[in-house]
Amino acid sequence: MRRIVFVLIAVVALAGVAAYPAQAFGQTDGEAAPIFGVKIPPGYREWRLISVAHEEGNLNDLRAILGNDVAIGASREGKLPFPDGTIIARLAWSYDRLEESSKAFGRPQTFVAGPPKNGVQFMVKDSRKYASTGGWGFAQFDDGKPASEPVQNTCFSCHATVKARDFVFNRYAP
Amino acid sequence: MRRIVFVLIAVVALAGVAAYPAQAFGQTDGEAAPIFGVKIPPGYREWRLISVAHEEGNLNDLRAILGNDVAIGASREGKLPFPDGTIIARLAWSYDRLEESSKAFGRPQTFVAGPPKNGVQFMVKDSRKYASTGGWGFAQFDDGKPASEPVQNTCFSCHATVKARDFVFNRYAP
């Protein structure tokens, strides 16, 4: 048993060596978004969960906030401002009624994530590079392509309303 | 630069060796839940995201579905039934209006995860051990303690409505 565990640990460690360079140190070959020059961070869908939300109105989505290791550490500590190197990802999906649940409960009960919607957004902390926007670079990608410059421009103006929270709306959900 | 990357990789690999035994191979010292004997899986809050949901009615929560590596792999492939070793975690938090967002939009707009609510639930796939309940063991923990036997009994009866999807409501959100 001890030997099997050791072999498993070795495999995990080797998998780490193989997987991390591409995800943690690489730059995507994808197109940089206008204004802040942010690219899609490789492997962001593997990141851990910070929190979840539902947007009403025109957005009408379910969303998840994921963070890279720096973001997760800072979010859990709850210390502001976020350190340089923080990247926060906002994924969103359509807000769909789950029919199986309606049957089980006998009424509308559950709303689940449907297809991706409203793009994927990133906040990248670099206090020097993005000094004029609170240290954050913002980007939105729709189907993997950078959204237009007018769309990117809306990010900071909205996040400026939470300047006291280092421009971040979400809080870590334990 | 090449040398720095190598050192970083080594650190990541060593961190993997140090972190994995406790999280992936350990058993918690916590109390097992009634009926199925499931314990809280160590490190489940580090798992990757499968999907998100909102429950209306008395539950009234925002929730996230996380999965261990087996669950994530199977969910992404979309193949049923889930293999033995799958563990799916359901976290939930209160469904709270985000006041900062209401200010930014000038109307109620965003609902976010507040404090934990409705416990944490797990589905554990072991087709032999749990043969009489579709191969799944179910458990709910409230504030880290197993919920009562009547509560645990409600799990399978509800999930039985989605037998065609191997008793799992959620689908992977890309």
Side-chain angles (χ1 to χ4, degrees):
Chain A
M1 183 58 196
R2 189 179 288 257
R3 187 171 178 152
I4 292 171
V5 168
F6 178 78
V7 170
L8 281 170
I9 292 171
V11 167
V12 167
L14 285 170
V17 171
Y20 266 80
Q23 293 194 357
F25 312 125
Q27 271 280 315
T28 51
D29 297 327
E31 201 180 336
I35 306 176
F36 299 100
V38 170
K39 292 183 177 184
I40 294 178
Y44 72 89
R45 187 59 183 80
E46 314 299 323
W47 293 353
R48 287 172 284 175
L49 180 73
I50 295 175
S51 193
V52 294
H54 164 51
E55 293 284 343
E56 294 194 331
N58 289 336
L59 289 171
N60 194 33
D61 65 39
L62 272 170
R63 42 184 58 198
I65 313 295
L66 308 182
N68 67 356
D69 290 348
V70 181
I72 289 288
S75 295
R76 285 179 176 169
E77 288 179 17
K79 278 201 303 188
L80 300 177
F82 285 86
D84 281 5
T86 297
I87 310 181
I88 298 170
R90 193 280 286 147
L91 292 72
W93 304 273
S94 71
Y95 185 64
D96 290 2
R97 182 168 297 171
L98 183 69
E99 295 305 334
E100 291 99 328
S101 167
S102 300
K103 279 181 201 164
F105 280 78
R107 57 179 170 79
Q109 167 67 31
T110 308
F111 291 83
V112 294
K117 186 180 177 184
N118 297 330
V120 178
Q121 298 178 331
F122 299 97
M123 289 178 68
V124 177
K125 190 68 178 273
D126 186 329
S127 51
R128 287 191 181 193
K129 189 173 179 183
Y130 304 124
S132 66
T133 48
W136 292 101
F138 298 83
Q140 174 170 329
F141 297 85
D142 300 320
D143 296 324
K145 298 283 177 193
S148 66
E149 192 164 321
V151 170
Q152 311 285 352
N153 258 326
T154 63
C155 302
F156 181 64
S157 58
C158 186
H159 281 265
T161 59
V162 283
K163 186 181 176 184
R165 291 196 31 80
D166 195 26
F167 305 93
V168 173
F169 282 103
N170 69 74
R171 289 165 173 81
Y172 184 78
Chain B
M1 182 60 195
R2 188 180 288 257
R3 186 171 180 153
I4 292 172
V5 168
F6 177 78
V7 170
L8 281 169
I9 292 170
V11 168
V12 166
L14 285 170
V17 170
Y20 265 81
Q23 295 196 355
F25 311 127
Q27 269 281 313
T28 51
D29 297 327
E31 202 180 336
I35 306 175
F36 299 101
V38 170
K39 292 183 175 183
I40 294 178
Y44 71 89
R45 188 58 183 81
E46 314 300 323
W47 292 352
R48 286 171 285 175
L49 179 74
I50 296 176
S51 193
V52 295
H54 165 50
E55 292 284 344
E56 293 193 333
N58 290 335
L59 289 171
N60 194 33
D61 65 37
L62 271 170
R63 41 184 59 197
I65 313 296
L66 308 183
N68 67 357
D69 289 349
V70 181
I72 290 288
S75 295
R76 285 179 176 168
E77 287 179 17
K79 278 201 302 188
L80 299 177
F82 284 86
D84 281 4
T86 296
I87 309 180
I88 298 171
R90 192 281 286 148
L91 292 72
W93 304 272
S94 71
Y95 185 64
D96 291 1
R97 183 168 296 171
L98 182 69
E99 294 305 334
E100 291 100 327
S101 167
S102 299
K103 280 181 201 164
F105 280 80
R107 58 178 170 79
Q109 167 66 33
T110 309
F111 290 84
V112 294
K117 186 179 177 183
N118 296 330
V120 178
Q121 299 177 331
F122 299 98
M123 291 179 67
V124 177
K125 190 67 180 274
D126 185 329
S127 51
R128 287 192 180 191
K129 189 174 180 183
Y130 304 124
S132 65
T133 48
W136 291 101
F138 298 83
Q140 175 170 329
F141 297 86
D142 299 320
D143 296 325
K145 299 282 178 194
S148 66
E149 191 163 322
V151 170
Q152 310 286 353
N153 257 326
T154 63
C155 301
F156 181 65
S157 58
C158 185
H159 280 266
T161 59
V162 282
K163 186 180 177 185
R165 291 196 30 79
D166 195 25
F167 304 93
V168 172
F169 283 103
N170 69 74
R171 290 166 172 80
Y172 185 77

